[in-house]
Amino acid sequence: MKKNNRFHILIPVFNENETIVETVRNILQNVDYNFEILICYDFDEDKTLNILKENFKNNPKIRYIKNKSRGFNLALITGIEISDADAILIYMADDHNNSKLINRIFEKYNEGYHVVCPSRFVQSGNMKGVPFLKGVLTKLASFIIFNFSTFPIKDATNSFRLFSRELLSQLTLESNKGFTLSFEITAKAHRLNFKMIEIPTVWIERTRGESRFKLLTFIPLYLRWLFYIFQTTLTKKN
């Protein structure tokens, strides 16, 4: 097992509350690999920065990356462009449940997978506390994509994923709105035949703070990559 590989954990933030401390502390305590946390933020006045700097003073494993533009996807793209690690993991600021899973994700990368997808829809996976409509549409979209295309991932839309630098270096990232970046990268990895794997995860919806996921606004953004996957499927069948 190659623990000398360097990994960056990208956490996009936007005026997070004190619970971000639990997220970061869990990662620092539970991850065994050579990693660094990149906090990707939009503006200098974001209160998240003071919260983290007060609780993790001068911690060498935490770096702050200012978004070149605005928004979740573009904050991550800025982090990806700045990162020089062997792989990057996208991790949510309000995820207090999956820090121990990160070691297994990195192990799968070291086994040769370019995309490692924690999945809510494989055996032992689950999602809890999700609003009814969001849950139904998320499950329905993933069911359709997995069962009616060649896309090998059962949880298509989860942002929580690891991507290899080898894969990312071959892509032009296009998602500039919403939360679709992980979906885009995985769809393009599928078209390029990169090796990917799913492992179970449990997602618990945030109970404090405000979610920025606006369902009806973001549906067209996800549909773009759904159609991309079906185009890939038709190409592979011909």
Side-chain angles (χ1 to χ4, degrees), residues 18-73:
E18 292 286 342
T19 61
I20 184 69
V21 175
E22 183 179 353
T23 300
V24 173
R25 182 175 291 125
N26 287 347
I27 293 172
L28 293 172
Q29 290 176 347
N30 293 321
V31 178
D32 299 327
Y33 285 77
N34 181 12
F35 74 96
E36 185 178 5
I37 299 171
L38 304 189
I39 301 295
C40 304
Y41 66 97
D42 280 359
F43 54 95
D44 294 328
E45 296 77 20
D46 191 319
K47 66 181 183 180
T48 315
L49 306 182
N50 285 335
I51 291 173
L52 291 174
K53 290 175 181 179
E54 288 174 2
N55 284 274
F56 305 100
K57 293 180 181 178
N58 301 317
N59 190 306
K61 283 195 171 293
I62 302 174
R63 186 155 34 124
Y64 300 92
I65 306 298
K66 187 174 182 180
N67 189 355
K68 295 178 181 178
S69 184
R70 289 287 187 272
F72 179 92
N73 282 344

Side-chain angles (χ1 to χ4, degrees), residues 140-223:
L140 180 61
S142 292
F143 176 85
I144 291 171
I145 292 170
F146 181 77
N147 287 280
F148 297 99
S149 77
T150 56
F151 193 68
I153 303 301
K154 291 184 177 181
D155 189 350
T157 62
N158 195 359
S159 290
F160 177 26
R161 270 175 203 162
L162 175 143
F163 303 106
S164 74
R165 175 59 51 188
E166 183 179 345
L167 164 64
L168 293 170
S169 66
Q170 296 191 33
L171 304 182
T172 299
L173 301 178
E174 304 172 63
S175 294
N176 55 14
K177 294 180 181 178
F179 296 81
T180 56
L181 185 67
S182 281
F183 192 21
E184 173 192 345
I185 296 172
T186 310
K188 290 181 175 180
H190 168 235
R191 180 169 291 189
L192 295 171
N193 295 312
F194 276 86
K195 191 177 180 182
M196 60 183 76
I197 190 172
E198 281 187 290
I199 59 176
T201 188
V202 176
W203 171 254
I204 301 175
E205 191 80 359
R206 70 161 69 211
T207 56
R208 286 182 286 176
E210 181 181 356
S211 172
R212 290 183 289 142
F213 188 91
K214 309 300 181 185
L215 185 64
L216 296 179
T217 302
F218 294 147
I219 284 177
L221 305 177
Y222 283 97
L223 285 175

